[in-house]
Amino acid sequence: MRPVLHPARAVALSFLVAIAVGTVLLMLPVSRAEGPGAPWLIALFTSVSAVCVTGLAVVDTGTYWSPFGQALIMVLFQIGGFGMMTAATLLGLMVNRSPRLRTKLVTQAETHSLALGDITSVTRLVLVVTFACEFIIAVLLTLRLRLAYDLPWGEAAWSGTFHAISAFNNAGFSIHADGLIRYAADALILLPVMLAIFIGGIGFPILQDLRLRFRDPRHWSLHTKLTLIGTGVLLLAGFIAVLAFEWDNPKTLGAMALPEKLLNAIFASVSARTAGFNALDIGALTRESWASHYLLMFIGGGSAGTAGGVKVGTVVILVLMVIAEIRGHTDSEAFGRRVGASAHRQAITVLVLGSAMVVLGTMVLLRISDFPTDRVIFEVISAFGTVGLSTGITADLPPLGQLTLIILMYLGRVGTITLATSLVLVERRMPYRYPEEHPIVG
């Protein structure tokens, strides 16, 4: 009997394979717009950023890479966002309607499906939602670019498709050197992009829950309720923070009319939660706005979606723990449900290890570069949260600094998934318990 590969390891290895293949293909001369093939570090950085749906770049995507290279990058972040194991299971379903248990377990690690029996419906939902949403957004963007900006149909379709897929997968890649700044006043561009970011980043288990019980919120799962509430609070907080800190900044919102200020503030709040598109110059934001971005980028989006970060659910669970402790309750509760002790431990573990990676990455970059601390912190959290927003220092980092960001992008995308899965799968009841004692806290 062949040994079963641990689902968490299978997910991690699959991402590594995709990264390796992408790196090799990006090094080919056909992938570069001019000259010989891309150097290995540029190809590796771009491949990792695409597969891990981050969007950080050391070269301009629209001018450095050829149409083939740009299409390859789009395929890589489509694979990364869709989920390597979800794609594998879908292929298995097409060939054989009865995927083996190992395939189901591996897919469950990527989709965070609640039960093995749900995987078929979840993966079908992933397929339908992904391509339906990308197609609709691509059509809307294409029509807008053609009719309002008079782009040729081919150029409008390519730009619309690229940005639609990038937005849904929360990848943040753009074929424009200035991101979406040229469309900062165009709601018919930014609103569809925001919609794609939200649907892709909220998490497929929630989409499945809403599909089955949309008209009966009382029967939504606790995960759905907590994630939606947490997402709403974070979006509102980010919106208010950007408005407050950038209102008079002449380099960002200061020169805009009120409708444009509101549009760009909400877009910045949505995009900061791992999408990575910018309609404002990130390098020109105030330090207070950077600080608010730290929080939004680190938390990220919903579990089992295309977003990164430590996830909204993780943070909401910790908030419930704090509230319960303040009230003197032994259990954390919400909506008539008690949050399990194992979820508490997993949330704390994910948050602590995520914070440790951010701190360690920041220390490394501060040691090997001369950039200001606030810019370094922004770049590190953006990489770990697979956001892709940048203050403009990524391309100027030394090779070791770029390798550090590569590791952070990989761990941020794969590490949280594999860690959470491993914690669930290795959990077991001990046959004994030691006497309890209470060390001093605080």
Side-chain angles (χ1 to χ4, degrees), residues 209-225:
D209 201 11
L210 295 178
R211 182 179 73 89
L212 297 176
R213 293 174 282 271
F214 179 77
R215 295 183 179 181
D216 192 3
R218 295 174 301 172
H219 291 88
W220 291 354
S221 69
L222 182 60
H223 169 73
T224 296
K225 294 176 181 178

Side-chain angles (χ1 to χ4, degrees), residues 146-167:
R146 169 59 184 172
L147 300 177
Y149 297 89
D150 201 28
L151 294 182
W153 277 111
E155 184 178 346
W158 171 242
S159 180
T161 301
F162 188 96
H163 289 98
I165 296 177
S166 183

